[in-house]
């Protein structure tokens, strides 16, 4: 609070919303703020966590004890008198991030004061199928696989993964056909009208919830059949879009699209590239988005990444990111162009997250709304809106956590609030879509789209809690304990990662069993691979033997997609190797535990002889001086020493230090936020789960624990 002349009091908020920051105007600090309400756009009011500066060292706070005394004395000095309390009130702000004065943060949030947890640096240059180096960033599932592989081979089994999982053929699928370098055929390929309805239906089934490029999907089949009957029309670019729709549909119905679909794609791709020198329009953006999706279905992820860059630049050049520009073309074209931008954002954020690379689009200069409330103020059911909203949350996780390589409980709380808001709007409705289609007419496109959006939601939870899982695994494998003796905040976040992986597998398994799941689903395959890795390491870390059931379900699902997706083939082999290693490791631990128990109880009834048999019985005592490998009459020249037991030999494989640089940290990998507070962990975090996924029917909530 600031007092001016004349008795006027001016209040200052701790944090302004993103819109007010961008426009440099005063913000009321509430959610939604006054400016966003006056603009009649309260849903766009978002708060970004401010970067907290570390305090400079002070001569009066050189030791930990003095620091606590000075904090308490400063608080009492600032708020001891009524006058001081009135001049420095504690203001609560109902916004995604609450920020108080420095000394009040120290007293009310002792675990959160300027403490950040290092996130492992997992970005790598990997070799693709052609031997070329490809960059894979920190948040990519393939980078997570390399981290898991390093942890397992170092701590559990040096030969954990099968040899065929050592290569990186999952990066790129070498095309079996030579690509056309320039130009395009004078005569377009003949359109098989008999496969038109099936191909268009397959296209809608594959792309629902991912893109929406046309004015009316119900008319798409009729328009394409009419176009084919009219000898393909005069507009070559519009014809290329129709060819690409049929090519994507043929990928599903032909199990790979190497026949007719490949011919359609080759022709349409070259037409689209040749049109770049002319006038760009909506058809140009549509064509390159469809080329991107076909490349993803053909496991050409780098080609998809490059072609999408053309689509993004073409869209910006025609202004589809501005809803005011789109409104000039009438209501139907306005809706189409708005949804074209949303489709761009969804595909862009999927490519960015799955490959760990910066996105090609952003919302800095975007005015297209991502929400569509009805008359009652509730969000209308729209799979594309649900998809773009959850991908925006994933984008914030990548930017705030993996780009800065730090995560704190305060930041986790803010991300949890975003996830909780999305869950309140969409989770129950998406589950109803998956459950209500058990009887009667089933729209496979809507069901697959809902499953894909749910998988993205659970992946967002896994992405934010994954660093906590890896640190908890490192602690358990280092200590040799299967489960923690006390429940701490770190272990709860690790449990949240496991729970999200389980909840992702369940609807996918259900749709496969019901015969509704499409086999061309690059988004689901990528997220499912990350889920199988989380479940595998969770089984090794002692999070419960029930996880084995879901590991096997994830492998079955990956093998289902492997019939048309070569990436899924590689992913299933990796998941199988990880599961096999986990089961062998758990069996060895159980044998060792049983041996220890037998040794302590065997003397009750003489189950095991006290002294081992001599050489005549084939067994030597622990201090035998005769080398059993030597011949008769020969004695061993080795010095006398106890013979190591089988348990000791097994334990020696795990008795070495783990690389601390694996987590990108110096010293212990334990979270500095929680250091020194282990004995008060239960009092601080309570006895509940920070992410009550299972108790809340898949709902995410962290607000009660910070």
């Amino acid at each position: 609070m600031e007092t001016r002349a004349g008795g006027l009091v001016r209040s200052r908020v701790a944090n302004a919303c993103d819109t007010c920051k961008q426009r440099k105007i005063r913000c009321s600090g509430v959610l939604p703020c006054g400016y966003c309400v006056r603009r009649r756009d309260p849903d766009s009011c978002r708060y970004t966590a401010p970067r907290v500066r570390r305090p400079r060292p002070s001569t009066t706070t050189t030791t930990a004890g003095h620091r606590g005394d000075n904090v308490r004395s400063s608080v009492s000095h600032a708020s001891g008198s009524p006058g001081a309390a009135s001049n420095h009130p504690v203001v609560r702000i109902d916004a995604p991030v609450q920020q108080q004065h420095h000394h009040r943060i120290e007293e009310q949030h002792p675990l959160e004061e300027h403490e950040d947890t290092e996130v492992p640096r997992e970005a790598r240059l990997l070799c693709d199928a052609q031997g070329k180096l490809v960059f894979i960033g920190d948040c990519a599932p393939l980078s997570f696989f390399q981290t898991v592989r390093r942890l397992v081979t170092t701590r559990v089994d040096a030969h954990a993964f099968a040899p065929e999982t050592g290569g990186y053929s999952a990066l790129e699928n070498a095309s079996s056909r030579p690509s056309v370098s320039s130009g395009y055929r004078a005569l377009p390929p003949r359109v098989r009208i008999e496969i038109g309805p099936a191909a268009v239906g397959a296209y809608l089934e594959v792309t629902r919830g991912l893109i929406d490029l046309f004015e009316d999907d119900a008319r798409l089949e009729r328009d394409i059949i009419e176009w084919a009957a009219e000898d393909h029309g005069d507009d070559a670019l519009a014809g290329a879009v129709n060819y690409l729709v049929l090519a994507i549909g043929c990928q599903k119905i032909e199990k790979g699209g190497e026949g007719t679909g490949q011919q359609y794609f080759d022709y349409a791709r070259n037409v689209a590239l040749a049109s770049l020198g002319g006038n760009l329009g909506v058809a140009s953006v549509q064509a390159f988005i469809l080329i991107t999706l076909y490349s993803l279905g053909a496991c050409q992820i780098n080609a998809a990444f490059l072609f999408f860059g053309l689509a993004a630049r073409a869209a910006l050049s025609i202004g589809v990111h501005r809803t005011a520009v789109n409104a000039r073309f009438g209501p139907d074209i306005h809706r189409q162009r708005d949804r074209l931008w949303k489709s761009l954002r969804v595909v862009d954020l999927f490519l960015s997250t799955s490959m760990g690379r910066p996105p090609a689009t952003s919302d800095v200069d975007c005015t297209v709304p991502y929400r569509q409330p009805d008359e009652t103020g509730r969000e209308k059911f729209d799979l594309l809106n649900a998809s773009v909203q959850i991908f925006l949350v994933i984008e914030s996780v990548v930017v705030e956590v993996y780009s800065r390589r730090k995560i704190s409980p305060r930041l986790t709380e803010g991300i949890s609030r975003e996830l909780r808001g999305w869950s309140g709007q969409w989770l129950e409705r998406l589950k109803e879509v998956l459950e209500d289609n058990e009887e009667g007419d089933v729209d496979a496109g809507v069901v697959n789209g809902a499953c894909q959006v749910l998988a993205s939601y659970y992946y967002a939870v896994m992405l934010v809690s994954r660093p906590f899982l890896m640190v908890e695994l490192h602690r358990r494998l280092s200590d040799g304990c299967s489960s923690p003796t006390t429940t701490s905040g770190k272990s709860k976040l690790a449990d949240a990662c496991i729970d999200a992986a389980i909840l992702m597998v369940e609807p996918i398994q259900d749709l496969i069993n019901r015969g509704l799941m499409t086999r061309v689903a690059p988004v689901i395959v990528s997220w499912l691979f990350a889920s199988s890795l989380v479940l595998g390491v969770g089984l090794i870390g002692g999070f419960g033997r029930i996880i084995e059931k879901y590991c096997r379900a994830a492998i079955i699902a990956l093998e289902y997609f492997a019939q048309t997706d070569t990436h899924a083939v590689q992913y299933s082999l990796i998941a199988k190797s990880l599961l096999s290693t986990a089961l062998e490791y758990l069996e060895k631990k159980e044998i060792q535990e049983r041996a220890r128990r037998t040794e302590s109880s065997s003397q009750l009834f003489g189950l095991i002889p006290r002294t081992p048999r001599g050489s005549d019985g084939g067994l030597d005592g622990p201090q035998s001086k005769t080398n059993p490998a030597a011949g008769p009459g020969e004695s061993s020249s080795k010095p006398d020493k106890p013979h190591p037991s089988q348990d000791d030999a097994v334990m020696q494989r795990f008795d070495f230090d783990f690389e601390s640089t694996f987590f990108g940290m110096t010293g212990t990998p334990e979270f500095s936020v929680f250091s020194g507070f282990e004995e008060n962990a239960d009092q601080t975090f309570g006895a509940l789960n920070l992410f009550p996924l299972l108790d809340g029917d898949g709902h995410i909530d962290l607000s009660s624990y910070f």
Side-chain angles (χ1 to χ4, degrees):
M1 305 286 287
E2 294 182 359
T3 305
R4 292 183 174 181
L8 296 178
V9 178
R10 175 187 176 186
S11 61
R12 302 184 63 182
V13 299
N15 189 26
C17 73
D18 296 344
T19 303
C20 293
K21 286 180 181 178
Q22 181 180 357
R23 298 180 180 271
K24 296 183 179 180
I25 60 178
R26 182 175 301 179
C27 183
S28 60
V30 298
L31 184 64
C33 70
Y35 178 75
C36 293
V37 172
R38 291 194 299 272
R39 290 178 61 235
R40 297 182 180 179
D41 192 11
D43 294 331
S44 66
C45 189
R46 297 165 59 97
Y47 287 79
T48 301
R51 300 187 63 179
V52 181
R53 296 181 178 178
R54 294 184 179 273
R56 295 181 179 180
S58 175
T59 56
T60 61
T61 60
T62 55
T63 63
H66 291 167
R67 184 183 297 112
D69 296 338
N70 290 330
V71 168
R72 288 187 292 269
S73 63
S74 63
V75 172
S76 60
H77 177 73
S79 58
S81 61
S86 61
N87 292 333
H88 301 279
V90 179
V91 182
R92 177 178 174 132
I93 303 173
D94 294 330
V97 178
Q98 300 179 6
Q99 185 179 10
Q100 309 288 345
H101 293 292
H102 172 61
H103 61 271
R104 298 191 182 276
I105 292 177
E106 289 177 338
E107 186 178 25
Q108 297 177 3
H109 304 283
L111 296 180
E112 301 177 8
E113 176 198 1
H114 309 298
E115 295 289 352
D116 293 327
T117 300
E118 296 289 340
V119 175
R121 300 192 176 191
E122 301 170 342
R124 288 172 173 83
L125 283 174
L126 303 180
C127 292
D128 61 7
Q130 289 77 32
K132 298 180 181 178
L133 293 177
V134 178
F135 176 77
I136 300 296
D138 299 287
C139 60
L142 279 176
S143 291
F144 181 49
F145 162 59
Q146 297 306 315
T147 301
V148 169
R149 182 179 181 181
R150 182 177 180 182
L151 176 63
V152 173
T153 55
T154 304
R155 281 293 180 186
V156 179
D157 187 358
H159 307 285
F161 293 94
E164 57 267 21
T165 64
Y168 306 111
S169 58
L171 282 175
E172 194 81 5
N173 179 32
S175 177
S176 60
R177 287 174 169 265
S179 60
V180 182
S181 59
S182 61
Y184 57 92
R185 297 167 50 183
L187 295 177
R190 185 181 67 86
V191 177
R192 297 170 54 189
I193 300 180
E194 63 274 13
I195 69 170
V200 174
Y203 162 81
L204 295 176
E205 182 178 334
V206 170
T207 60
R208 189 66 61 89
L210 189 60
I211 60 172
D212 185 2
L213 306 182
F214 304 100
E215 296 182 33
D216 188 0
D217 290 341
R219 295 177 49 192
L220 182 61
E221 177 183 339
R222 183 182 62 187
D223 293 343
I224 289 182
I225 293 177
E226 292 178 355
W227 160 80
E230 295 175 358
D231 200 14
H232 311 332
D234 298 331
D235 192 345
L237 191 56
V241 172
N242 293 332
Y243 273 118
L244 289 168
V245 170
L246 296 175
I248 294 174
C250 289
Q251 272 187 321
K252 178 179 181 296
I253 63 179
E254 294 182 355
K255 294 185 179 181
E258 290 293 337
T260 305
Q262 186 67 41
Q263 296 177 9
Y264 294 164
F265 172 76
D266 290 338
Y267 172 78
R269 177 197 56 200
N270 289 286
V271 170
L273 291 174
S275 67
L276 288 177
N279 295 326
L280 297 177
V282 171
S284 303
V285 183
Q286 292 174 334
F288 285 108
I289 292 179
L290 294 174
I291 291 173
T292 300
L293 289 185
Y294 185 92
S295 300
L296 284 175
C299 301
Q300 299 283 338
I301 57 176
N302 281 314
F305 188 79
L306 294 176
F307 280 120
F308 182 81
L310 296 175
R313 292 304 176 185
L316 293 174
S317 62
I318 63 175
V320 296
H321 61 294
R322 292 290 191 91
T323 189
V325 175
N326 299 336
R328 298 182 180 181
F329 296 91
D332 294 337
I333 303 299
H334 180 198
R335 177 184 178 277
Q336 180 189 9
R337 288 169 66 98
D338 278 359
R339 297 183 72 80
L340 183 62
W341 175 254
K342 296 176 186 177
S343 303
L344 281 165
R345 289 291 284 154
V346 171
V347 177
D348 184 26
L349 292 176
F350 166 68
L351 288 172
S352 171
T353 306
S354 62
M355 303 182 72
R357 300 175 184 176
T361 60
S362 69
D363 291 332
V364 173
D365 196 31
C366 169
T367 59
V368 174
Y370 296 136
R371 302 180 184 273
Q372 188 178 4
D374 56 14
E375 295 78 6
T376 62
R378 188 185 183 189
E379 185 89 10
K380 292 183 179 179
F381 183 78
D382 191 324
L383 286 178
L384 187 62
N385 285 345
S387 184
V388 70
Q389 288 172 25
I390 192 59
F391 270 107
L392 290 176
V393 177
I394 293 177
E395 182 185 31
S396 66
V397 174
V398 174
V399 172
E400 298 294 336
V401 177
Y402 287 85
S403 296
R404 297 180 180 180
R405 299 184 176 90
K406 293 179 182 297
I407 187 171
S408 64
R410 180 181 292 275
L411 180 57
T412 308
E413 177 192 4
I415 296 172
S416 172
R417 185 179 290 105
E418 296 281 345
L419 291 169
R420 186 174 63 253
W422 186 94
S423 175
Q425 288 283 351
W426 298 106
L427 185 61
E428 182 179 357
R429 301 160 78 177
L430 292 173
K431 286 181 174 291
E432 290 177 356
V433 170
L434 298 178
E435 296 170 357
D436 293 345
N437 285 280
E438 294 183 357
E439 298 179 358
D441 296 335
V442 177
D443 190 341
V446 174
V447 172
N448 282 274
C451 183
Q452 172 201 294
V453 177
L454 271 180
S456 299
Y457 164 66
Y458 293 130
Y459 183 74
V461 178
M462 293 165 53
L463 202 61
V464 69
S465 55
R466 196 170 79 189
F468 299 91
L469 173 65
M470 298 308 298
V471 173
E472 180 68 13
L473 283 170
H474 172 247
R475 187 192 66 79
R476 294 191 182 189
L477 295 178
S478 299
D479 298 342
C481 59
S482 59
S483 60
T485 56
T486 59
T487 303
S488 64
K490 293 176 289 185
S491 63
K492 291 178 181 179
L493 288 166
D495 286 331
C497 193
I498 302 293
D499 294 341
I502 291 175
L503 290 170
M504 181 191 297
V505 173
E506 287 178 339
I508 298 174
Q509 181 186 21
D510 179 63
L511 291 184
I512 291 176
N513 294 336
R514 292 161 55 189
L516 298 177
M517 176 60 69
T518 179
R519 297 185 188 272
V520 182
V523 176
I524 293 179
V525 169
S526 183
W527 299 163
L528 185 61
F529 173 54
S531 176
S532 66
L533 295 176
V534 169
L535 294 173
V537 296
L539 188 59
I540 293 176
F543 286 86
R545 289 300 294 263
I546 189 62
I547 297 178
E548 178 185 350
K549 168 187 173 182
Y550 297 100
C551 286
R552 298 188 184 278
I555 292 172
I556 293 174
L558 289 172
E559 290 176 342
Y560 174 84
F561 294 113
Q563 299 183 23
T564 57
D565 193 323
T566 56
H567 286 176
V569 176
Q570 188 84 351
Y571 296 159
S572 63
L573 293 176
I574 294 171
K576 286 180 181 179
S577 297
L578 184 57
L579 176 60
S580 176
T581 302
L583 294 178
E584 292 177 2
Y585 173 71
L586 293 178
E587 182 180 359
K588 291 178 181 178
K589 290 189 65 176
E590 291 176 357
I591 292 175
Q592 295 168 13
E593 179 64 23
R594 187 67 261 166
R596 285 192 291 267
R597 292 177 179 270
T598 302
E599 182 180 359
S600 62
S601 63
S602 61
Q603 302 303 325
L604 292 176
F605 302 100
L607 297 176
I608 298 178
R610 290 179 177 273
T611 58
R613 288 174 292 175
S615 58
D616 56 337
L619 294 176
D620 297 327
Q623 300 294 335
S624 176
K625 298 182 180 180
T626 303
N627 186 357
E634 298 179 7
S635 60
S636 174
S637 60
K638 295 182 179 179
D640 298 340
K641 61 180 179 180
H643 184 70
S645 64
Q646 181 181 0
D647 295 342
D648 295 335
V650 174
M651 294 303 295
Q652 284 177 2
R653 349 179 18 179
F654 309 103
D655 192 17
F656 50 88
D657 293 334
F658 182 73
E659 271 189 56
S660 61
T661 56
F662 167 75
F663 288 97
M665 299 183 292
T666 57
T668 176
E670 289 287 345
F671 287 141
S672 57
V673 175
F674 304 96
S675 60
F677 294 93
E678 287 80 357
E679 64 276 5
N680 298 325
D682 292 337
Q683 299 177 6
T684 303
F685 292 93
L688 300 178
N689 195 334
L690 293 176
F691 284 96
L693 288 170
L694 299 176
D695 297 336
D697 194 20
H699 182 71
I700 309 297
D701 190 357
L702 275 180
S703 60
S704 302
Y705 307 96
F706 297 95

